[in-house]
Amino acid sequence: MRHTLTSLATAYDLERVKRAPAGGRDFMARAAAYEERLSERPDLRHWSPIDDADPGEDGPTRVLDADLDAWTRLADGPNRGAWRMARFNRPGQEEQPGGALTWRELAYHYGPLTDDSHAGH
């Protein structure tokens, strides 16, 4: 599924994002990636960067962020219900993805998000 979704990097190349004022280009790219994903994969659930209401236990167990990196919901332990990047081992990445984030933090800092719970099924 990853290759069929618009990433944040791809969204920056869209004309409507290029025309946005420099100060608003990042948010415009995130919004454009969300809109593109809605049209590319209407069969999947998507959340914009401002969709901060946690979908809870009935929500996804795995999502793809703006860069198409996978995040998984922690099912147990002290951070149960929080989100952690599935494969955080890239040097030079900021420290935050190594820790557990709330849904609100994940959506705001790394959105748009797309349900990837059934990847490979």
Side-chain angles (χ1 to χ4, degrees):
M1 166 184 21
R2 293 173 204 288
H3 67 286
T4 63
L5 291 173
T6 297
S7 70
L8 185 57
T10 302
Y12 275 105
D13 291 333
L14 297 171
E15 281 305 313
R16 67 183 186 264
V17 174
K18 289 179 179 179
R19 289 192 305 266
R25 200 163 291 139
D26 183 56
F27 185 79
M28 181 61 120
R30 289 177 185 283
Y34 171 72
E35 292 166 358
E36 292 292 314
R37 288 181 184 193
L38 283 173
S39 64
E40 293 161 352
R41 292 298 305 267
D43 56 314
L44 298 174
R45 290 176 65 191
H46 306 276
W47 295 267
S48 79
I50 59 170
D51 286 332
D52 62 359
D54 190 326
E57 295 298 320
D58 295 331
T61 55
R62 178 179 158 109
V63 295
L64 297 177
D65 69 10
D67 296 323
L68 302 180
D69 288 321
W71 291 74
T72 56
R73 185 188 265 298
L74 301 176
D76 50 28
N79 291 320
R80 184 173 189 273
W83 294 83
R84 185 173 308 239
M85 187 178 278
R87 283 187 213 87
F88 179 70
N89 59 8
R90 292 186 299 188
Q93 233 178 0
E94 66 267 31
E95 283 184 36
Q96 193 173 10
L101 301 179
T102 65
W103 177 265
R104 175 178 281 191
E105 292 167 333
L106 178 61
Y108 179 79
H109 293 291
Y110 298 98
L113 306 173
T114 297
D115 188 347
D116 193 41
S117 297
H118 305 292
H121 296 151

